[in-house]
Amino acid sequence: MTNAKFANDAEIIEFVLSNTALFTETKTLRVEEIGDGNINFVYRVTNDQQSVIVKQALPYIRIIGEGWPLSLDRIRIEAQCLKEEGLWAADYVPDVYCFDQARSAFIMEDIGDHENLRHALIARRVLPELGRHLGEFLAETLFHTSDFYLDNEQKKAAVADYINPDLCKITEELFFWDPFCDHERNSVSPPLKEAAETLWQDDSLKVEAAKLKYHFMNDAQALLHADLHSGSVFVKADGTKVIDPEFAFYGPMSFDIGSIIGNLLINFAGQLGLEGEAEEKQAYREYLLATIDTLWATFHTRFKALVSEQCKDPVFATVGFVDAFIAHTWHESMGYAGTELIRRTVGLAHVADLDSIEDIHVRAVSEKFALDLGSALIKQRQDIKSPQILRALVQAI
Amino acid sequence: MTNAKFANDAEIIEFVLSNTALFTETKTLRVEEIGDGNINFVYRVTNDQQSVIVKQALPYIRIIGEGWPLSLDRIRIEAQCLKEEGLWAADYVPDVYCFDQARSAFIMEDIGDHENLRHALIARRVLPELGRHLGEFLAETLFHTSDFYLDNEQKKAAVADYINPDLCKITEELFFWDPFCDHERNSVSPPLKEAAETLWQDDSLKVEAAKLKYHFMNDAQALLHADLHSGSVFVKADGTKVIDPEFAFYGPMSFDIGSIIGNLLINFAGQLGLEGEAEEKQAYREYLLATIDTLWATFHTRFKALVSEQCKDPVFATVGFVDAFIAHTWHESMGYAGTELIRRTVGLAHVADLDSIEDIHVRAVSEKFALDLGSALIKQRQDIKSPQILRALVQAI
């Protein structure tokens, strides 16, 4: 039964019972398949009082089948990354109770009382703690897995342990290649075709996108979530959980920071065309920019404090170096936010913040804004010295 | 007998005979211990017509003994790196005939007809091909082990395979930490004490050195030799061999390029105080600068040609990106050349280019030049746009 899909609900329940002792009542346990993802199988096991989630990977992509094989090592990486993040940011990730290599499955805390952040943003939910939570999650997980905290040997072993070529390849192609040329995998709405073609001719943009790709592939700074879009974040009024780190690997910190900022900016772009009162939309756009401000201010403050309290390397603990490092990380984050905006607009994988605008001409206004902003973020990232300058840029476009 | 030092010459001869079939006459074979290094044991096995070199690592540093343990994995890395370099730059490395993990030893081509480059530079030997050979060696080995040539999966597996924490730690400390503070491991000549103390107070220099250290530890661009000083290069009138890559790991290309340029500049500094006629010394300094010009021009041209002919990644093959990458590599190389100049002047491991100047006051003039040049290279590296600007900087100091 090794590496085989669970045959039935009884097998899933047996797997949970033999690997955890959480349930006080086991007779009424039942299984719901809840996975709405494209790649893995996800089940809730519940007795209506208590519940856990079981996530299982198969050696191919769920919605395609055996025709698209994918390394099973991703589920080890996901479970291990969640546990590592849990050491440093326990409030912001689900508990992992057990990982079973033979079944390519793990059991984790059910966060079913949270809502997908993308849906919350589209519904214009105001979450006052979101920016602070994301900033803390990023500062804690990135600091503690980097050379600012780990010793030389631990860090290098961790880089090797998280090598994840299959999943990195998806990002290398879908972020940094397809959207910058007329690739068959792209999906471009007809009214946007002209803008996309202009973008595909922009040589200076392509050079800057190539630099971001090269950094993504080479700069093994910290253990990244590496798929930190709004769909990987779950929220409730006073809580935030970051899930699904199966793309995790050692890469540049700015990729995680830029990915999530890019997703807030995509929603900002979408607000142009989504239904609603102008005033309400304007207020929400202000909320999104304020959330980016808070996210960055929290990251900045917390990361500096962690270095000052816990960094054992006297070279990296130098205040001047930390300041330069954080400033550089902000610039590069702007670039990765730009690639996220562009790939979600003309690439393969679109998002509901834009695609749920039904009229393609109304949608094209939001899409054009996303392309222009993405392009400006990539090309001008060295000049965007603060969230205030980002705000001015957003308003100018 | 696993992992034990060869007990006697007979064991070494037996090791060679059972692992190679090179010798046409085996009865007169004898062994000479030729290692003048500090870390490993090196033997020549010869019958006076033919010869090979046997290099063995023990799990500690040779000149210190068991009190300073060192990972045996370094000898696997060295043999494997030499073979890898041999695939791309066969003229510039010795052939490796056999690696034996159990004995932590390998057998390679004898390059005894070559001279150590450091001795050749001190003797003011003019080697017209040196710059071209080094430029070709660097372009071929760095290109073929990077994302410009390897596919995603090969590259990431190679990064893991060459993780080399023990040896990297030596560089991290001796290049980037000790020489920038009053460290007990430093060795500072009394007349240089004041200049060293000024350097240790230079906060902006320390921030730039910290950035170079961070890149060294994180930017896994290509398989580096990683100890490319003049003592690792052997030369004859028409040939160049690069040996001893036991520090090899995946790091920034600019570290290898900067290390060897730094060594040519150290000799340049030493020429101020070494014996000889002023005119002869001046001519040799001109030769050293011309060698740096040729090294860089060769690297630049060859690397670009390799990308244009062999790079399979359409993003990295973009001419604009390659030009930007090469320009950035040059800047960063200047920084690493600077760290090499400084660590060889006030750090633990000095070099004969400076230390063979007997009068410490005469030597201090050369040493001060090396410190000033090193510091300028590190701080101004972004502004040094070409070897011509390097030349102007050298002349200004």
Side-chain angles (χ1 to χ4, degrees), chain B residues 207-219:
Chain B
V207 168
E208 296 308 316
K211 290 182 191 171
L212 291 166
K213 178 179 181 185
Y214 199 80
H215 272 294
F216 175 83
M217 292 176 75
N218 284 281
D219 213 356

Side-chain angles (χ1 to χ4, degrees), chain B residues 328-376:
Chain B
H328 181 76
T329 299
W330 168 257
H331 296 322
E332 293 299 293
S333 298
M334 292 298 96
Y336 289 118
T339 56
E340 176 71 358
L341 280 159
I342 289 174
R343 74 120 178 172
R344 295 298 195 178
T345 309
V346 297
L348 172 69
H350 285 221
V351 287
D353 312 63
L354 297 173
D355 277 14
S356 64
I357 304 169
E358 280 181 23
D359 182 318
I360 61 168
H361 297 284
V362 176
R363 192 200 307 158
V365 175
S366 287
E367 290 177 324
K368 181 68 169 49
F369 180 91
L371 281 193
D372 289 347
L373 178 57
S375 177

Side-chain angles (χ1 to χ4, degrees), chain A residues 289-350:
Chain A
L289 295 181
T291 300
I292 293 172
D293 292 350
T294 307
L295 184 161
W296 179 251
T298 305
F299 175 84
H300 189 156
T301 307
R302 175 67 66 98
F303 195 90
K304 252 190 110 157
L306 287 167
V307 173
S308 126
E309 289 155 17
Q310 296 182 40
C311 177
K312 286 159 221 136
D313 185 317
V315 175
F316 298 150
T318 312
V319 174
F321 173 68
V322 183
D323 287 341
F325 179 84
I326 293 176
H328 181 75
T329 299
W330 168 257
H331 296 322
E332 293 299 293
S333 299
M334 292 298 96
Y336 289 117
T339 56
E340 176 72 358
L341 279 159
I342 289 174
R343 74 122 177 171
R344 296 299 196 178
T345 309
V346 297
L348 171 69
H350 284 222

Side-chain angles (χ1 to χ4, degrees), chain A residues 53-362:
Chain A
I53 300 296
V54 174
K55 185 163 183 178
Q56 185 181 37
L58 293 182
Y60 49 81
I61 292 187
R62 177 178 178 237
I63 54 162
I64 295 177
E66 300 187 17
W68 190 325
L70 206 61
S71 160
L72 278 179
D73 196 37
R74 70 186 193 275
I75 195 88
R76 172 194 64 86
I77 285 177
E78 176 171 352
Q80 194 171 309
C81 177
L82 278 173
K83 284 200 233 178
E84 175 79 30
E85 292 169 346
L87 290 177
W88 314 116
D91 289 349
Y92 303 125
V93 286
D95 269 358
V96 173
Y97 304 129
C98 148
F99 166 62
D100 188 289
Q101 179 106 47
R103 285 314 291 249
S104 297
F106 68 94
I107 307 171
M108 67 177 148
E109 182 185 356
D110 185 5
I111 55 161
D113 56 337
H114 291 64
E115 178 186 20
N116 183 307
L117 175 61
R118 194 174 308 284
H119 303 158
L121 296 174
I122 293 170
R124 292 194 199 103
R125 208 94 67 213
V126 171
L127 301 154
E129 299 295 330
L130 179 66
R132 182 174 68 78
H133 289 173
L134 290 171
E136 285 182 0
F137 170 79
L138 289 163
E140 292 285 346
T141 58
L142 298 175
F143 169 81
H144 283 104
T145 57
S146 76
D147 286 311
F148 285 95
Y149 178 73
L150 296 177
D151 77 25
N152 158 299
E153 198 150 353
Q154 292 171 315
K155 161 77 185 311
K156 290 175 203 321
V159 169
D161 202 27
Y162 281 101
I163 279 177
N164 194 358
D166 276 21
L167 284 286
C168 281
K169 193 177 179 66
I170 294 173
T171 306
E172 289 156 20
E173 302 201 342
L174 297 190
F175 263 74
F176 300 112
W177 169 230
D178 297 10
F180 297 96
C181 66
D182 190 5
H183 198 287
E184 60 183 9
R185 279 187 299 233
N186 285 337
S187 164
V188 181
S189 156
L192 205 67
K193 191 78 186 165
E194 200 182 314
E197 273 165 2
T198 305
L199 186 125
W200 298 331
Q201 302 303 319
D202 186 341
D203 287 337
S204 68
L205 178 67
K206 287 164 118 154
V207 169
E208 296 307 316
K211 290 182 191 170
L212 291 166
K213 178 179 180 184
Y214 199 80
H215 272 293
F216 175 82
M217 291 177 76
N218 284 281
D219 213 355
Q221 294 181 347
L223 178 61
L224 306 189
H225 180 285
D227 192 27
L228 195 51
H229 61 83
S230 309
S232 295
V233 179
F234 280 70
V235 292
K236 56 182 186 178
D238 56 351
T240 303
K241 298 280 184 189
V242 178
I243 64 166
D244 287 354
E246 71 191 325
F247 283 72
F249 79 111
Y250 263 75
M253 299 186 191
S254 47
F255 184 74
D256 268 2
I257 301 168
S259 294
I260 190 66
I261 290 178
N263 273 267
L264 296 172
L265 292 171
I266 287 167
N267 188 266
F268 185 102
Q271 295 297 339
L272 285 170
L274 289 166
E275 308 265 306
E277 299 298 321
E279 202 169 306
E280 187 192 349
K281 296 204 277 189
Q282 184 49 38
Y284 202 70
R285 293 177 73 160
E286 180 47 46
Y287 160 75
L288 291 169
L289 295 181
T291 300
I292 293 172
D293 292 350
T294 307
L295 184 161
W296 179 251
T298 305
F299 175 84
H300 189 156
T301 307
R302 175 67 66 98
F303 195 90
K304 252 190 110 157
L306 287 167
V307 173
S308 126
E309 289 155 17
Q310 296 182 40
C311 177
K312 286 159 221 136
D313 185 317
V315 175
F316 298 150
T318 312
V319 174
F321 173 68
V322 183
D323 287 341
F325 179 84
I326 293 176
H328 181 75
T329 299
W330 168 257
H331 296 322
E332 293 299 293
S333 299
M334 292 298 96
Y336 289 117
T339 56
E340 176 72 358
L341 279 159
I342 289 174
R343 74 122 177 171
R344 296 299 196 178
T345 309
V346 297
L348 171 69
H350 284 222
V351 287
D353 312 62
L354 298 172
D355 276 14
S356 64
I357 304 168
E358 280 181 25
D359 182 318
I360 61 168
H361 298 284
V362 176

